[in-house]
Protein backbone atom coordinates (compact mmCIF):
# COMPACT_ATOMS: atom_id res chain seq x y z
CA UNK A 1 0.00 0.00 0.00
CA UNK A 2 2.92 2.40 0.67
CA UNK A 3 4.04 2.46 -2.99
CA UNK A 4 0.43 3.36 -3.96
CA UNK A 5 0.41 6.34 -1.57
CA UNK A 6 3.91 7.30 -2.69
CA UNK A 7 2.86 7.01 -6.34
CA UNK A 8 -0.06 9.37 -5.72
CA UNK A 9 2.23 11.92 -4.05
CA UNK A 10 4.80 11.61 -6.83
CA UNK A 11 2.15 12.25 -9.48
CA UNK A 12 0.90 15.35 -7.64
CA UNK A 13 4.43 16.74 -7.38
CA UNK A 14 5.11 15.75 -10.98
CA UNK A 15 2.15 17.81 -12.16
CA UNK A 16 3.28 20.88 -10.22
CA UNK A 17 6.92 20.61 -11.31
CA UNK A 18 5.97 20.04 -14.96
CA UNK A 19 3.72 23.11 -14.92
CA UNK A 20 6.38 25.31 -13.27
CA UNK A 21 9.11 24.08 -15.63
CA UNK A 22 6.86 24.68 -18.63
CA UNK A 23 5.94 28.22 -17.55
CA UNK A 24 9.55 29.16 -16.85
CA UNK A 25 10.70 27.59 -20.12
CA UNK A 26 8.05 29.49 -22.09
CA UNK A 27 8.98 32.73 -20.34
CA UNK A 28 12.69 32.26 -21.06
CA UNK A 29 12.19 31.33 -24.71
CA UNK A 30 10.17 34.51 -25.35
CA UNK A 31 12.12 36.83 -23.02
CA UNK A 32 15.51 36.11 -24.55
CA UNK A 33 14.50 37.41 -27.99
CA UNK A 34 12.54 40.40 -26.62
CA UNK A 35 13.79 43.75 -27.89
CA UNK A 36 12.90 46.69 -25.61
CA UNK A 37 11.20 49.71 -27.17
CA UNK A 38 14.00 51.93 -25.82
CA UNK A 39 16.38 50.25 -28.29
CA UNK A 40 14.38 51.26 -31.38
CA UNK A 41 17.20 52.39 -33.69
CA UNK A 42 19.53 49.58 -32.68
CA UNK A 43 16.65 47.12 -32.72
CA UNK A 44 15.97 47.85 -36.40
CA UNK A 45 19.48 46.64 -37.23
CA UNK A 46 18.99 43.66 -34.91
CA UNK A 47 15.66 42.78 -36.56
CA UNK A 48 17.27 43.01 -40.01
CA UNK A 49 20.07 40.71 -38.83
CA UNK A 50 17.43 38.31 -37.52
CA UNK A 51 15.55 38.37 -40.80
CA UNK A 52 18.74 37.65 -42.75
CA UNK A 53 19.61 34.77 -40.38
CA UNK A 54 22.67 36.52 -38.94
CA UNK A 55 20.97 36.18 -35.54
CA UNK A 56 18.50 33.42 -34.69
CA UNK A 57 14.89 34.67 -34.54
CA UNK A 58 13.88 32.10 -31.95
CA UNK A 59 15.53 30.35 -29.07
CA UNK A 60 15.43 26.63 -28.30
CA UNK A 61 16.05 24.54 -25.19
CA UNK A 62 19.50 23.81 -26.60
CA UNK A 63 20.19 27.55 -26.60
CA UNK A 64 19.14 27.74 -22.94
CA UNK A 65 21.62 24.98 -22.08
CA UNK A 66 24.36 26.73 -24.05
CA UNK A 67 23.65 30.04 -22.29
CA UNK A 68 23.88 28.21 -18.96
CA UNK A 69 27.49 27.18 -19.61
CA UNK A 70 28.40 30.19 -21.79
CA UNK A 71 26.52 33.28 -20.55
CA UNK A 72 28.21 35.44 -23.22
CA UNK A 73 26.21 33.54 -25.85
CA UNK A 74 23.13 35.42 -24.64
CA UNK A 75 24.70 38.67 -25.94
CA UNK A 76 24.85 37.21 -29.43
CA UNK A 77 21.18 36.26 -29.23
CA UNK A 78 20.08 39.60 -27.80
CA UNK A 79 22.55 42.45 -27.24
CA UNK A 80 20.01 44.71 -25.51
CA UNK A 81 20.19 43.35 -21.97
CA UNK A 82 21.93 45.13 -19.10
CA UNK A 83 24.51 43.29 -17.00
CA UNK A 84 21.94 42.87 -14.21
CA UNK A 85 19.38 41.45 -16.65
CA UNK A 86 21.95 38.97 -17.97
CA UNK A 87 22.64 37.74 -14.44
CA UNK A 88 18.90 37.42 -13.71
CA UNK A 89 18.25 35.49 -16.94
CA UNK A 90 21.18 33.18 -16.21
CA UNK A 91 19.80 32.51 -12.71
CA UNK A 92 16.40 31.71 -14.24
CA UNK A 93 18.04 29.29 -16.67
CA UNK A 94 19.81 27.53 -13.79
CA UNK A 95 16.45 27.25 -12.01
CA UNK A 96 14.89 25.86 -15.21
CA UNK A 97 17.65 23.24 -15.42
CA UNK A 98 17.06 22.23 -11.79
CA UNK A 99 13.34 21.84 -12.54
CA UNK A 100 14.20 19.66 -15.56
CA UNK A 101 16.32 17.39 -13.32
CA UNK A 102 13.54 17.23 -10.71
CA UNK A 103 10.97 16.41 -13.38
CA UNK A 104 13.17 13.55 -14.64
CA UNK A 105 13.64 12.28 -11.08
CA UNK A 106 9.88 12.24 -10.50
CA UNK A 107 9.38 10.33 -13.78
CA UNK A 108 11.96 7.73 -12.65
CA UNK A 109 10.23 7.41 -9.29
CA UNK A 110 6.84 7.05 -10.97
CA UNK A 111 8.20 4.22 -13.14
CA UNK A 112 9.80 2.51 -10.13
CA UNK A 113 6.57 2.71 -8.11
CA UNK A 114 4.31 1.65 -11.00
CA UNK A 115 5.77 -1.78 -11.59
CA UNK A 116 4.00 -4.82 -10.13
CA UNK A 117 6.68 -5.46 -7.50
CA UNK A 118 8.42 -2.13 -6.83
CA UNK A 119 12.16 -2.20 -6.10
CA UNK A 120 12.10 -0.55 -2.67
CA UNK A 121 15.89 -0.16 -2.53
CA UNK A 122 15.95 1.70 -5.88
CA UNK A 123 13.05 3.93 -4.78
CA UNK A 124 14.80 4.80 -1.52
CA UNK A 125 18.10 5.44 -3.34
CA UNK A 126 16.40 7.87 -5.73
CA UNK A 127 14.48 9.58 -2.92
CA UNK A 128 17.67 10.08 -0.90
CA UNK A 129 19.60 11.46 -3.85
CA UNK A 130 20.00 15.18 -3.20
CA UNK A 131 22.46 17.63 -4.72
CA UNK A 132 25.55 18.17 -2.54
CA UNK A 133 27.19 20.58 -4.94
CA UNK A 134 26.47 24.16 -5.96
CA UNK A 135 24.65 24.13 -9.31
CA UNK A 136 25.73 27.74 -9.89
CA UNK A 137 29.39 26.73 -9.62
CA UNK A 138 29.01 23.61 -11.78
CA UNK A 139 26.40 24.56 -14.36
CA UNK A 140 28.01 22.19 -16.86
CA UNK A 141 27.25 19.30 -14.48
CA UNK A 142 23.65 20.48 -14.27
CA UNK A 143 23.37 20.50 -18.07
CA UNK A 144 24.95 17.02 -18.06
CA UNK A 145 22.23 15.84 -15.66
CA UNK A 146 19.52 17.25 -17.95
CA UNK A 147 21.05 15.81 -21.11
CA UNK A 148 21.61 12.40 -19.51
CA UNK A 149 18.25 12.43 -17.70
CA UNK A 150 20.09 11.46 -14.53
CA UNK A 151 21.01 12.90 -11.18
CA UNK A 152 24.55 12.90 -9.84
CA UNK A 153 24.48 10.88 -6.63
CA UNK A 154 26.28 12.18 -3.52
CA UNK A 155 28.89 9.37 -3.68
CA UNK A 156 29.63 10.24 -7.32
CA UNK A 157 30.07 13.91 -6.45
CA UNK A 158 32.31 13.03 -3.49
CA UNK A 159 34.47 10.81 -5.69
CA UNK A 160 34.77 13.46 -8.42
CA UNK A 161 35.60 16.15 -5.84
CA UNK A 162 38.26 13.93 -4.27
CA UNK A 163 39.92 13.38 -7.64
CA UNK A 164 39.67 17.10 -8.52
CA UNK A 165 41.09 18.28 -5.17
CA UNK A 166 43.87 15.70 -4.93
CA UNK A 167 45.83 15.87 -8.14
CA UNK A 168 46.99 12.38 -9.03
CA UNK A 169 44.70 10.67 -6.51
CA UNK A 170 43.70 7.07 -7.04
CA UNK A 171 40.12 6.16 -6.23
CA UNK A 172 38.19 2.93 -6.25
CA UNK A 173 34.46 2.37 -6.61
CA UNK A 174 32.48 -0.82 -6.94
CA UNK A 175 31.08 -1.92 -10.28
CA UNK A 176 27.86 -0.09 -11.14
CA UNK A 177 28.63 3.05 -9.14
CA UNK A 178 28.73 5.30 -12.22
CA UNK A 179 32.46 5.62 -12.85
CA UNK A 180 32.19 5.57 -16.65
CA UNK A 181 28.71 6.99 -17.19
CA UNK A 182 28.79 9.78 -14.57
CA UNK A 183 32.09 10.45 -12.79
CA UNK A 184 34.34 10.41 -15.86
CA UNK A 185 32.11 12.90 -17.76
CA UNK A 186 32.00 15.11 -14.63
CA UNK A 187 35.79 15.19 -14.53
CA UNK A 188 36.06 15.89 -18.26
CA UNK A 189 33.57 18.76 -17.97
CA UNK A 190 35.36 20.19 -14.93
CA UNK A 191 38.88 19.99 -16.35
CA UNK A 192 37.71 21.14 -19.77
CA UNK A 193 36.35 24.33 -18.25
CA UNK A 194 39.10 24.94 -15.71
CA UNK A 195 42.00 24.26 -18.06
CA UNK A 196 40.87 27.35 -20.01
CA UNK A 197 40.66 29.59 -16.91
Amino acid sequence: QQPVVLLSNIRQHQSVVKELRGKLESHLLTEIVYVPASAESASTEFILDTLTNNVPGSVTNSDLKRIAVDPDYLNSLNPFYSADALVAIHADIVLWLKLCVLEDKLERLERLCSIEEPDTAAIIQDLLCVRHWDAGQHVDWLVFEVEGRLQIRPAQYTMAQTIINRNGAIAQLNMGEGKTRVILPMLILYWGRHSRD
Side-chain angles (χ1 to χ4, degrees), residues 119-184:
D119 181 351
T120 306
I123 293 169
I124 291 171
Q125 181 182 30
D126 225 342
L127 285 170
L128 293 176
C129 185
V130 294
R131 188 171 290 114
H132 286 259
W133 44 276
D134 182 353
Q137 296 294 314
H138 299 286
V139 180
D140 44 356
W141 290 355
L142 192 56
V143 171
F144 171 65
E145 284 184 321
V146 172
E147 288 289 314
R149 300 196 70 177
L150 55 83
Q151 189 173 7
I152 296 168
R153 295 192 302 261
Q156 294 165 331
Y157 164 72
T158 301
M159 185 60 62
Q161 228 16 68
T162 299
I163 294 169
I164 289 167
N165 291 336
R166 296 184 191 160
N167 196 9
I170 296 174
Q172 180 177 345
L173 275 177
N174 293 331
M175 194 166 104
E177 294 289 324
K179 295 178 295 292
T180 305
R181 185 169 177 244
V182 179
I183 297 170
L184 187 58

Side-chain angles (χ1 to χ4, degrees), residues 7-22:
L7 184 58
S8 174
N9 287 333
I10 288 169
R11 287 183 174 148
Q12 287 175 344
H13 285 87
Q14 208 174 9
S15 174
V16 171
V17 169
K18 185 174 186 167
E19 182 181 348
L20 289 172
R21 192 253 329 132

Side-chain angles (χ1 to χ4, degrees), residues 90-141:
H90 189 264
D92 286 348
I93 291 172
V94 170
L95 177 59
W96 171 76
L97 289 166
K98 289 178 180 180
L99 287 170
C100 290
V101 172
L102 180 55
E103 189 174 5
D104 288 341
K105 178 179 186 164
L106 291 169
E107 285 178 16
R108 277 192 309 277
L109 284 165
E110 181 186 31
R111 276 193 311 278
L112 288 169
C113 290
S114 295
I115 59 178
E116 191 172 317
E117 291 189 33
D119 181 351
T120 306
I123 293 169
I124 291 171
Q125 181 182 30
D126 225 342
L127 285 170
L128 293 176
C129 185
V130 294
R131 188 171 290 114
H132 286 259
W133 44 276
D134 182 353
Q137 296 294 314
H138 299 286
V139 180
D140 44 356
W141 290 355

Side-chain angles (χ1 to χ4, degrees), residues 71 74 81-94:
L74 181 53
Y81 283 110
S82 68
D84 289 341
L86 294 173
V87 169
I89 290 170
H90 189 264
D92 286 348
I93 291 172
V94 170

